[in-house]
């Protein structure tokens, strides 16, 4: 009954009201999905996807208000039966989320990117002997543009590849930032962000463990673990130990007993994996997060060396 009444409300509205209603409700869901990832009830999800579908099909008829998700599509009004069965185009939702992520991935010009936040963080920053300020954050909106900027610079020669696109990274970043225990450390050389590392806490049944292709050491998944999801450093600052400093600062006050990360063993002529091994990481398995991802080596070590933990 609710589905039928909802369908009648949509199809009985005028074009302008219908478009406004569809976009408003659809984008409200998108904002929820991309920022907090708290998925509503299935009926609300189906309603939001249908709203986007209807709006896109209407807007494609209005060139001056064209929706990039709907460009090139033929108009087809959803029928009542498909609405009631929930047979909506989830691809519309994925496309809209990708477009919204792309909109959020706009890289700002150089300057004081953190604005008033910089003053507050300056007192909280650790400073390395080389003058690199290491700043923590647990609020993704405060550091979003900075992380995207660094990523785009580090991956500049790979951004044309789907797996390394800015949009793909933005989707991944939004997802990771909603996970428990998310934290990032960004290194700054004066006003320039030079690199970052971020991590999440893992649960015993986390997909991180479930994706492993071989059996794990006894007790591995039950031991409190933090996963370092990304470590990035811009080229002018490489070879100076800064990546290790950012990594260690990120782990310095973490409560977890062990830390895990993934690495493409072929990256940097195998030098990246060797670098992590020099930091104390050991191989425990492999995984392939998605079908278009390379096979990655999973590594593990204590969060802090034994001598450091004892002190």
């Amino acid at each position: 009954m609710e589905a039928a009444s909802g369908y009648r409300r949509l199809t009985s509205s005028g074009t302008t009201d219908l478009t406004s209603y569809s976009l408003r409700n659809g984008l409200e869901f998108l904002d929820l999905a991309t920022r907090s990832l708290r998925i509503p009830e299935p009926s609300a999800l189906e309603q939001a996807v249908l709203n986007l579908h209807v709006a896109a099909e209407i807007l494609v008829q209005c060139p001056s208000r064209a929706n990039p998700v709907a460009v090139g599509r033929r108009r087809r009004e959803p029928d009542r039966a498909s609405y009631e069965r929930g047979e909506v185009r989830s691809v519309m939702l994925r496309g809209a989320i990708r477009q919204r992520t792309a909109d959020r991935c706009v890289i700002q010009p150089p300057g004081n990117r953190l604005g008033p936040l910089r003053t507050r963080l300056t007192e909280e920053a650790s400073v390395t002997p080389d003058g690199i300020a290491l700043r923590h954050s647990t609020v993704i909106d405060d550091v979003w543009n900075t992380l995207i900027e660094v990523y785009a610079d580090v991956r500049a020669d790979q951004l044309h590849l789907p797996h390394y696109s800015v949009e793909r990274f933005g989707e991944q970043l939004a997802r990771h930032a909603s996970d428990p225990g998310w934290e990032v450390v960004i290194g700054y050389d004066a006003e320039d962000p030079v690199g970052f590392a971020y991590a999440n806490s893992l649960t015993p049944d986390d997909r991180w463990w479930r994706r492993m292709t071989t059996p794990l050491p006894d007790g591995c998944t039950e031991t409190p673990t933090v996963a370092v999801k990304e470590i990035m450093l811009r080229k002018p600052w490489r070879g100076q130990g800064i990546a290790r400093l950012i990594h260690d600062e990120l782990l310095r006050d973490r409560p977890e007993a062990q830390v895990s990360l993934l690495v493409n063993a072929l990256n940097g002529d195998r030098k990246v994996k060797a670098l992590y091994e020099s930091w104390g990481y050991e191989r425990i398995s492999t995984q392939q997060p998605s079908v278009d991802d390379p096979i990655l080596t999973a590594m593990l070590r204590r969060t802090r060396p034994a001598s450091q933990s004892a002190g």
Side-chain angles (χ1 to χ4, degrees):
M1 291 296 293
E2 291 181 6
S5 61
Y7 179 81
R8 284 196 296 272
R9 285 197 304 273
L10 283 173
T11 54
S12 63
S13 302
T15 299
T16 302
D17 291 340
L18 175 57
T19 303
S20 175
Y21 175 90
S22 301
L23 285 177
R24 182 174 66 255
N25 286 275
L27 290 176
E28 283 176 0
F29 170 77
L30 281 179
D31 189 71
L32 181 69
T34 56
R35 290 180 181 273
S36 67
L37 298 184
R38 297 171 184 166
I39 302 300
E41 294 297 323
S43 60
L45 173 60
E46 293 171 2
Q47 175 73 59
V49 177
L50 180 70
N51 289 341
L52 289 171
H53 169 74
V54 172
E57 296 291 359
I58 291 172
L59 288 178
V60 76
Q61 306 298 319
C62 308
S64 61
R65 302 171 63 187
N67 185 331
V69 176
V71 170
R73 299 178 63 87
R74 297 176 58 188
R75 179 179 176 82
R76 183 178 69 83
E77 294 292 344
D79 60 272
R80 174 173 174 172
S82 66
Y83 179 84
E84 291 177 337
R85 290 195 306 269
E87 293 178 358
V88 293
R89 298 181 187 179
S90 61
V91 68
M92 293 297 296
L93 175 62
R94 294 195 301 271
I97 289 178
R98 182 177 293 276
Q99 181 60 42
R100 182 170 178 80
T101 301
D103 292 340
R104 293 186 68 189
C105 289
V106 174
I107 300 173
Q108 295 182 343
N112 191 357
R113 285 164 293 274
L114 292 181
L117 180 67
R118 183 176 298 282
T119 302
R120 176 167 62 84
L121 289 181
T122 298
E123 298 179 356
E124 303 173 5
S126 299
V127 180
T128 71
D130 294 330
I132 303 297
L134 305 177
R135 299 191 175 101
H136 292 251
S137 179
T138 57
V139 182
I140 185 59
D141 285 342
D142 289 347
V143 296
W144 177 275
N145 288 335
T146 301
L147 300 185
I148 294 295
E149 177 184 343
V150 172
Y151 176 86
D153 185 38
V154 171
R155 298 291 191 191
D157 59 346
Q158 298 173 301
L159 295 180
H160 64 286
L161 302 173
H163 176 70
Y164 294 106
S165 70
V166 171
E167 292 82 5
R168 176 74 171 266
F169 176 70
E171 292 173 353
Q172 170 186 293
L173 178 59
R175 184 174 65 253
H176 289 165
S178 71
D179 287 341
W182 185 84
E183 182 180 11
V184 64
V185 169
I186 305 175
Y188 288 89
D189 187 354
E191 296 293 310
D192 295 319
V194 304
F196 66 83
Y198 70 72
N200 300 103
S201 301
L202 298 182
T203 59
D205 63 344
D206 200 280
R207 63 180 178 270
W208 182 276
W209 303 125
R210 297 198 305 268
R211 288 170 174 167
M212 299 298 179
T213 60
T214 58
L216 295 169
D218 291 342
C220 183
T221 61
E222 287 75 30
T223 302
T225 307
V226 57
V228 177
K229 300 290 184 66
E230 286 287 354
I231 302 177
M232 294 205 157
L233 190 68
R234 300 169 97 162
K235 286 183 179 180
W237 289 272
R238 293 178 186 172
Q240 305 172 47
I242 296 175
R244 176 68 184 270
L245 293 173
I246 292 174
H247 166 274
D248 290 355
E249 177 67 18
L250 178 63
L251 301 180
R252 180 167 56 91
D253 296 321
R254 297 290 306 197
E256 297 87 356
Q258 62 186 12
V259 54
S260 183
L261 56 74
L262 301 174
V263 60
N264 184 338
L266 302 180
N267 276 355
D269 295 327
R270 304 180 186 273
K271 293 179 181 178
V272 178
K273 180 175 178 289
L275 177 66
Y276 292 154
E277 289 171 340
S278 73
W279 294 359
Y281 285 92
E282 297 180 355
R283 180 189 182 281
I284 57 169
S285 187
T286 61
Q287 64 168 257
Q288 189 175 18
S290 60
V291 293
D292 59 340
D293 286 338
I295 295 177
L296 304 175
T297 298
M299 308 187 79
L300 188 75
R301 55 159 261 192
R302 295 178 62 88
T303 304
R304 287 168 289 280
S307 59
Q308 194 174 335
S309 298

